[in-house]
Amino acid sequence: MTDTETPETISYTADVVALTPDGKVLLIERDWPPYEGAWALPGGHVDIGEMSRVAAARELEEETGVRVAADDLRQIGVWDAPGRDPRGRFVTVAYAAVVPATTRITAGDDARTARWWPLADLPDQLAFDHADILSAATPHATHKEPTR
């Protein structure tokens, strides 16, 4: 790096695709910008000194009341495309978890509401690149592809 280059600030986040055996996914309705009112996967910032898997489990519980052990989360992949978040450069590690179909949810933290959605009948739009993350987590599902 030369003296004139400024390093890019990158925010580190974790997202969770929580699925039920009967084909539903847990989404939250965002309570503030960006994408206020849009449906999204539960997730958020990785705290200082925290592993992304632990952050994913924490954010899932904070936003939906669903408790999953961090070790029960399966990593789906990393999403790091420039422009994936209008606030700046965000890199997220996405995880998947299967929870019982009877799992109760309670919206909290950043979520206006939380809801189980059938994979075959998702909202028309998902926030950020969450449609891509969901597709990676459910490659054999017959759900429609959400548009951004």
Side-chain angles (χ1 to χ4, degrees), residues 21-80:
D22 63 349
K24 293 181 181 167
V25 63
L26 181 56
L27 298 177
I28 63 157
E29 185 180 12
R30 290 183 53 83
D31 200 24
W32 51 62
Y35 299 102
E36 181 176 0
W39 291 95
L41 296 169
H45 290 276
V46 176
D47 290 340
I48 294 172
E50 186 176 44
M51 294 175 52
S52 63
R53 185 179 309 271
V54 173
R58 175 182 51 76
E59 287 287 345
L60 178 64
E61 184 174 3
E62 287 176 2
E63 293 184 353
T64 69
V66 175
R67 181 175 284 174
V68 173
D71 289 342
D72 290 339
L73 295 171
R74 175 183 57 86
Q75 186 174 328
I76 303 165
V78 176
W79 276 258
D80 64 353

Side-chain angles (χ1 to χ4, degrees), residues 5-148:
E5 291 182 64
T6 303
E8 183 176 31
T9 299
I10 298 175
S11 295
Y12 187 30
T13 61
D15 293 306
V16 180
V17 178
L19 301 162
T20 62
D22 63 349
K24 293 181 181 167
V25 63
L26 181 56
L27 298 177
I28 63 157
E29 185 180 12
R30 290 183 53 83
D31 200 24
W32 51 62
Y35 299 102
E36 181 176 0
W39 291 95
L41 296 169
H45 290 276
V46 176
D47 290 340
I48 294 172
E50 186 176 44
M51 294 175 52
S52 63
R53 185 179 309 271
V54 173
R58 175 182 51 76
E59 287 287 345
L60 178 64
E61 184 174 3
E62 287 176 2
E63 293 184 353
T64 69
V66 175
R67 181 175 284 174
V68 173
D71 289 342
D72 290 339
L73 295 171
R74 175 183 57 86
Q75 186 174 328
I76 303 165
V78 176
W79 276 258
D80 64 353
R84 66 177 295 273
D85 190 309
R87 297 170 291 187
R89 186 70 186 265
F90 280 72
V91 174
T92 197
V93 181
Y95 295 91
V98 177
V99 299
T102 57
T103 301
R104 296 181 57 126
I105 54 177
T106 305
D109 198 23
D110 299 338
R112 183 177 294 169
T113 189
R115 178 177 159 194
W116 291 108
W117 286 84
L119 288 171
D121 190 27
L122 293 170
D124 289 334
Q125 294 186 344
L126 295 181
F128 308 103
D129 54 1
H130 290 185
D132 297 335
I133 295 171
L134 182 56
S135 291
T138 59
H140 304 295
T142 57
H143 61 81
K144 67 181 179 180
E145 291 299 319
T147 57
R148 278 182 274 142

